[in-house]
């Protein structure tokens, strides 16, 4: 094992320990904010699989987030399905939706794909409003927040936090395995050189639409979790801005990096609040400046910069100097 | 004083040093050729003169030092570079390509005269002036590249392997025109070639480059007679 | 039939606006390979400047021209100062910087001018022009006319001037352009400047219709984006035509397809564009990019 890898492992363990201790040290509101971070992280990981690893730019993942959220909300509201069950169903629904959307998207590249997905992000809130009978129209659906299961002495905030953390860990491990293996190599090969990938026998069409499906499923699970956690869904919370925020998250966090999803989630959750604290008058101006300066200093995102630091640390501590 | 004087020229890409302190000259109105195998550093030498790679050492054009100047400014001094791969603007027309060659010239009304002159040298370009440059054959694109360089009315013409990938007849035609340009307009030429026989016929001075060092130099006639050169580069 | 014609006409009017902003998008894209997400906000900000000048007592057309000049310089400066540091960064990094620019401009405008809608004058008379039974708004016609003038101006500029030619060259083949003595970085900056100018025209033409507020371009940018894509991102004329098509289709669908009404018309317009894209991935008038293997 190379030096950089060892550092990486140590960091992951430390981060997990910190994550478990966090809700006991924080107020309910803060814990809820970190629940939101976890939810964003899952959504970002989904988008990163598609955009970072597979090279398909999506400006419309807010749509899958919305579909996931509404799947859960409708199941809870209309049929009283246990919420734990609705989450995988939401993932499944988005998997299918993403896969289906991925088929026409095969024909589109770069900019045009960005527009197509952008259109999706625009259309979904409108469509949600239209099917008022199911979705409650622009009023949305109000749900009730789940209590911690009997036997666990957790507040609802803490319970939501741990549930999210659990889902996050499972999904992150799954994707790490997926991306490190044969499938992951195929996905990345398609991004780097689609023609060569095809020549090597990778079924690019199938892989691309499957990646779209998996990516949408992750984001859909995040949406479902957010419906449970916020206990409210309304079409306008899933506007275009959400999709753009998700894109900002993966680029700031670091493209094609699993840990980048966490960093990106922290950024999109907390930086707008800080901006608000700095200037009440024009918070978004502060946010924008922050974003631009951030991109200047870390053009490859937080994970990209961190990787450089880790490699340097490993080399300095006399490790074998892991491959950059 | 020579038109172009180069001394102790070093160049590198990233960490890899490609030129290790070379020295050569181009006389005003003369033709100098730099010969060498693939990877000897010929293209890098031309790119160094135009400020397209990081260099150390002395490059003087007409007495002025070129080090540290931007490519765009070096071009304005009257150095036209026909790059490796010809640098054609594929989606523009032939005439638009040529007009771009005169971009750096300030004089008003120079354009029409320069165009006529290029069409005189290369009638085929005149016939195809409205055609998209990407649709030209390799030989025609090479002519277009030389024509574009001429539009600058340069004092020094840098040619990077003009014979590459072209039929012998076309190569002969292009070299004939380069010689005519050299004589009629007193343009100095620095020619980089793998095709040593043709290059030595054209040039009055030659340098032989091996892995970034000049290993032999002198009048072309002398080099042509050299046994080592004959065996390694001329093939007889 | 009358309703049909009337809807087509008003569709053309809004379509002209989409088209002019689409034109600005296409220009930056052609000159720099970047889709400028901040284009709409740049246009909005320019329009506020025009509003300030008109309120200060400047005649409309003087303010108009001054705004174009400021917009051009502004676009140029933004490219040199904000975009240049990330010129060689991955494309998504540039996109994020553009998004940063977008929120800054939007927020600044809200801060300086507040989010309250302001009326913006039209240079054209208020009396509508009636031909047969169809009513044309004078401003609508004027706006289409202005868009066409801009289009012709751009065509002439890129086709017949040395600077326009150099800009096209710089976008196509930067290293060869340098060997011609073209300052490539500045060509990109001029591209941004021109696009900002065109955007400012769009902003001043749309503001009398939608009123002036910091978010006025949001929806229009989306339609402009759609128009540019429909027309093919490589074709300025296609962008304008794409805008007109989007405007008309949007209006007709909203009027005639009963279950859609006004709520779903954006969705339907976008769906139709998607269908076009899937059938013809490089847009209606775009050049297919040939990939070298």
């Amino acid at each position: 094992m190379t030096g950089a890898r060892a550092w990486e492992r140590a960091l992951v363990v430390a981060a997990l320990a910190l994550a478990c201790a966090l809700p006991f040290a924080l107020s309910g509101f803060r814990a809820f904010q970190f629940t939101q971070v976890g939810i964003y992280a899952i959504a970002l990981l989904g988008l990163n699989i598609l955009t970072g690893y597979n090279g398909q730019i999506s400006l419309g993942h807010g749509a899958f987030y919305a579909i996931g959220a509404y799947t859960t909300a409708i199941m809870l509201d209309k049929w009283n399905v246990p919420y734990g069950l609705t989450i995988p169903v939401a993932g499944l629904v988005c998997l299918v939706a993403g896969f289906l959307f991925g088929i026409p998207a095969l024909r589109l590249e770069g900019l045009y794909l960005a527009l197509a997905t952008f259109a999706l992000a625009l259309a979904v809130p409108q469509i949600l409003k239209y099917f008022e009978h199911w979705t409650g129209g622009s009023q949305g659906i109000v749900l009730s927040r789940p209590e911690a299961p009997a036997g666990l002495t957790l507040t609802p905030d803490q319970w939501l936090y741990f549930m999210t953390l659990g889902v996050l860990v499972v999904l992150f491990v799954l994707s790490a395995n997926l991306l490190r293996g044969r499938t992951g190599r195929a996905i990345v090969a398609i991004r780097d050189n689609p023609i060569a990938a095809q020549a090597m026998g990778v079924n690019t069409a199938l892989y691309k639409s499957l990646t779209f499906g998996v990516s949408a499923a992750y984001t859909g699970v995040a949406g479902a979790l957010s419906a449970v956690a916020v206990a409210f869904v309304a079409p306008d919370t899933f506007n275009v801005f959400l999709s753009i925020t998700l894109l900002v998250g993966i680029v700031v966090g670091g493209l094609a990096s699993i840990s980048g999803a966490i960093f990106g989630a922290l950024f999109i959750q907390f930086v707008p609040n800080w901006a608000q604290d700095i200037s009440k008058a024009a918070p978004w101006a502060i946010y924008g400046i922050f974003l631009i300066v951030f991109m200047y200093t870390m053009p490859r995102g937080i994970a990209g910069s961190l990787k450089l630091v880790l490699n340097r640390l490993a080399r300095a501590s006399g490790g074998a100097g892991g491959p950059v | 004083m020579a038109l172009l004087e180069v001394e102790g020229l070093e160049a590198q890409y990233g960490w890899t040093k490609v030129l290790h302190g070379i020295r050569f000259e181009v006389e005003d109105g003369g033709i100098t050729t730099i010969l060498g195998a693939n990877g000897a550093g010929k293209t890098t030498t031309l790119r160094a003169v135009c400020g397209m790679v990081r260099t150390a050492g002395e490059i003087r054009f007409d007495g002025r030092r070129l080090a540290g100047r931007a490519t765009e400014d070096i071009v304005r001094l009257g150095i036209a570079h026909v790059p490796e791969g010809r640098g054609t603007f594929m989606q523009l027309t032939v005439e638009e390509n040529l007009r771009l060659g005169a971009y750096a010239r300030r004089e008003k009304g120079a354009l029409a005269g320069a165009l006529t002159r290029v069409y005189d040298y290369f009638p085929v370009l005149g016939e195809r002036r409205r055609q998209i440059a990407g649709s030209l054959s390799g030989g025609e694109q090479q002519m277009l590249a030389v024509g574009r360089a001429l539009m600058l009315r340069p004092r020094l013409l840098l040619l990077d392997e003009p014979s590459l990938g072209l039929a012998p007849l076309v190569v002969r035609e292009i070299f004939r025109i380069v010689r005519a340009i050299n004589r009629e307009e007193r343009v100095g030429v620095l020619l980089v070639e793998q095709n040593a026989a043709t290059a030595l016929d054209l040039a009055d001075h030659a340098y032989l480059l091996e892995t970034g060092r000049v290993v032999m130099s002198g009048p072309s006639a002398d080099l042509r007679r050299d046994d080592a050169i004959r065996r390694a580069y001329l093939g007889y | 039939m009358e309703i049909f014609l009337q809807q087509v006409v008003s569709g053309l009017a809004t379509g002209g606006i989409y088209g002019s902003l689409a034109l600005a998008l296409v220009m930056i894209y052609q000159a720099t390979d970047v889709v400028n997400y901040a284009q709409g906000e740049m246009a909005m900000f320019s329009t506020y400047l025009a509003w300030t000048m008109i309120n200060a007592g400047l005649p409309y057309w003087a303010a108009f021209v001054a705004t174009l000049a400021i917009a051009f310089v502004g676009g140029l400066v933004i490219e040199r100062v904000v975009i240049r540091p990330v010129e060689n960064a991955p494309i998504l990094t540039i996109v994020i910087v553009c998004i940063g620019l977008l929120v800054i401009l939007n927020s600044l405008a809200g801060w300086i001018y507040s989010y309250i809608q302001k009326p913006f004058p039209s240079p054209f008379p208020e009396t509508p022009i009636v031909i047969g039974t169809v009513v044309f708004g004078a401003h609508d016609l004027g706006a289409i006319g202005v868009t066409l003038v801009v289009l012709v101006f751009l065509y002439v500029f890129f086709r017949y001037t040395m600077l326009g030619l150099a800009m096209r060259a710089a976008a196509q083949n930067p290293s060869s352009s340098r060997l011609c003595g073209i300052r490539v970085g500045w060509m990109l900056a001029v591209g941004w400047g021109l696009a900002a100018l065109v955007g400012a025209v769009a902003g001043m033409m749309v503001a009398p219709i939608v009123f002036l507020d910091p978010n006025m371009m949001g929806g229009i940018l989306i339609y402009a984006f759609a128009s540019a894509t429909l027309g093919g991102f490589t074709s300025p004329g296609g962008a304008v035509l794409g805008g007109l098509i989007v405007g008309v289709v949007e209006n007709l669908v909203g009027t005639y397809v009963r279950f859609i009404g006004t709520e779903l018309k954006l969705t339907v317009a976008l769906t139709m564009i998607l269908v076009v894209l899937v059938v013809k991935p490089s847009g209606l008038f775009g050049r297919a990019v040939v990939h070298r293997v």
Side-chain angles (χ1 to χ4, degrees), chain A residues 122-250:
Chain A
L122 279 169
V124 162
Q126 289 203 331
I127 295 169
L128 286 175
K129 280 183 201 166
Y130 193 77
F131 293 101
E132 214 172 335
H133 171 68
W134 291 97
T135 62
S138 30
Q139 302 297 316
I141 305 172
V142 180
L143 307 164
S144 52
R145 293 186 89 191
E147 299 284 329
L152 282 174
T153 52
L154 293 171
T155 66
D157 279 323
Q158 288 169 337
W159 164 240
L160 281 172
Y161 176 88
F162 279 109
M163 185 175 76
T164 306
L165 185 64
V167 175
L168 182 140
V169 169
V170 170
L171 289 180
F172 270 55
V173 169
L174 274 179
S175 68
N177 285 335
L178 180 84
L179 292 167
R180 286 213 177 113
R182 196 181 142 79
T183 315
R185 283 198 300 276
I187 288 173
V188 172
I190 289 169
R191 174 194 71 190
D192 291 341
N193 194 335
I195 293 162
Q198 194 142 33
M200 301 289 284
V202 177
N203 184 342
T204 43
L206 183 67
Y207 268 102
K208 279 174 91 167
S209 17
L210 267 181
T211 310
F212 221 116
V214 171
S215 163
Y218 269 65
T219 307
V221 167
L225 281 169
S226 92
V228 173
V230 182
F232 174 60
V233 290
D236 288 326
T237 43
F238 306 113
N239 59 14
V240 176
F241 200 70
L242 173 65
S243 296
I244 293 177
T245 301
L246 293 179
L247 190 72
V248 166
I250 61 164

Side-chain angles (χ1 to χ4, degrees), chain C:
Chain C
M1 194 61 203
E2 268 168 50
I3 300 174
F4 176 79
L5 274 180
Q6 194 61 60
Q7 289 301 324
V8 169
V9 167
S10 73
L12 284 177
T14 39
I17 308 280
Y18 303 156
S20 55
L21 198 64
L23 192 59
L25 282 173
V26 164
M27 288 196 39
I28 287 203
Y29 182 67
Q30 280 202 306
T32 62
D33 261 352
V34 173
V35 178
N36 182 7
Y37 292 89
Q39 190 74 66
E41 309 310 294
M42 281 162 64
M44 172 273 296
F45 210 86
S46 309
T47 311
Y48 267 109
L49 294 179
W51 180 84
T52 310
M53 285 185 271
I54 292 170
N55 261 25
L58 229 60
Y60 181 91
W61 290 110
F64 184 89
V65 172
T67 303
L68 295 195
I70 295 171
F72 178 80
V73 175
L76 200 101
V77 170
I78 285 179
E79 199 283 337
R80 289 282 86 180
V81 177
V82 182
I83 303 298
R84 197 173 176 209
V86 287
E87 229 168 40
N88 301 315
I91 184 77
L92 274 174
T93 304
I94 305 178
V95 169
I96 300 300
V97 169
C98 286
I99 290 173
L101 202 58
L102 184 160
V103 295
I104 290 175
L105 288 174
N106 185 290
S107 186
L108 274 185
W111 187 39
I112 300 171
Y113 297 102
S114 91
Y115 286 91
I116 299 161
Q117 288 196 332
K118 295 177 168 54
F120 189 85
S122 163
F124 305 107
E126 272 176 34
T127 43
I129 297 157
V130 185
I131 300 175
T133 50
V134 184
V135 184
F136 295 88
H139 179 80
D140 295 345
L141 282 185
I144 295 178
V146 169
T147 304
L148 290 179
V149 168
V150 171
L151 187 64
V152 169
F153 161 77
L154 289 178
Y155 178 80
V156 170
F157 173 78
F158 279 111
R159 191 66 205 276
Y160 296 108
T161 69
M162 197 56 156
L163 185 60
L165 179 59
M167 286 175 66
R168 283 192 288 156
Q172 269 183 39
N173 193 336
S175 71
S176 203
S177 300
R178 283 195 190 92
L179 287 176
C180 292
I182 296 167
R183 296 182 204 285
V184 173
W186 278 101
M187 293 302 123
L188 301 187
V190 173
W192 274 73
L194 274 180
L197 183 153
V198 173
V201 174
M204 286 184 280
M205 288 299 118
V206 76
I209 303 171
V210 301
F211 295 101
L212 188 55
D213 87 280
N215 297 319
M216 73 175 195
M217 292 313 259
I220 293 164
L221 180 70
I222 288 157
Y223 280 109
F225 199 18
S227 312
T229 316
L230 185 65
F233 251 91
T234 47
S235 157
V240 173
L241 209 56
L244 296 176
I245 295 172
V246 170
V248 170
V249 166
E250 179 206 11
N251 248 351
L252 291 183
V253 164
T255 316
Y256 286 101
V257 188
R258 187 140 330 123
F259 80 92
I260 288 168
T262 45
E263 274 170 38
L264 277 186
K265 74 181 187 180
L266 175 67
T267 309
V268 171
L270 288 168
T271 313
M272 293 180 76
I273 291 160
L274 280 191
V275 172
V276 170
L277 276 184
V278 169
V279 177
K280 205 166 174 308
S282 51
L284 288 178
F285 311 100
R287 248 192 333 265
V289 179
V290 180
H291 291 279
R292 208 175 274 262
V293 181

